[in-house]
Amino acid sequence: MPVNTVAENVLGTIGAICWTVQLVPQIWKSWRTKSTEGLSDWFILMWSIGAVFLGV
């Protein structure tokens, strides 16, 4: 399979951005509810999207 460095960089960058931004909804939920129980739905969504891009 040929190597496409542009695609690797673009997908890796998107994955890294999702991986970085994924914590914001969880921090917001924990701050608003004053509890660290449970995970934010947006956290799980961003984590899943980031994992797909990093896996590719």
Side-chain angles (χ1 to χ4, degrees):
M1 181 189 279
V3 177
N4 187 342
T5 57
V6 173
E8 289 176 356
N9 285 331
V10 169
L11 294 173
T13 301
I14 292 170
I17 290 170
C18 289
W19 198 261
T20 304
V21 174
Q22 76 178 353
L23 292 176
V24 174
Q26 185 63 35
I27 293 169
W28 178 256
K29 178 182 184 253
S30 298
W31 179 76
R32 189 181 43 159
T33 61
K34 306 293 189 243
S35 172
T36 57
E37 291 185 20
L39 295 173
S40 167
D41 294 335
W42 287 103
F43 171 79
I44 298 297
L45 178 67
M46 292 300 291
W47 184 29
S48 301
I49 292 171
V52 169
F53 282 107
L54 290 175
V56 172

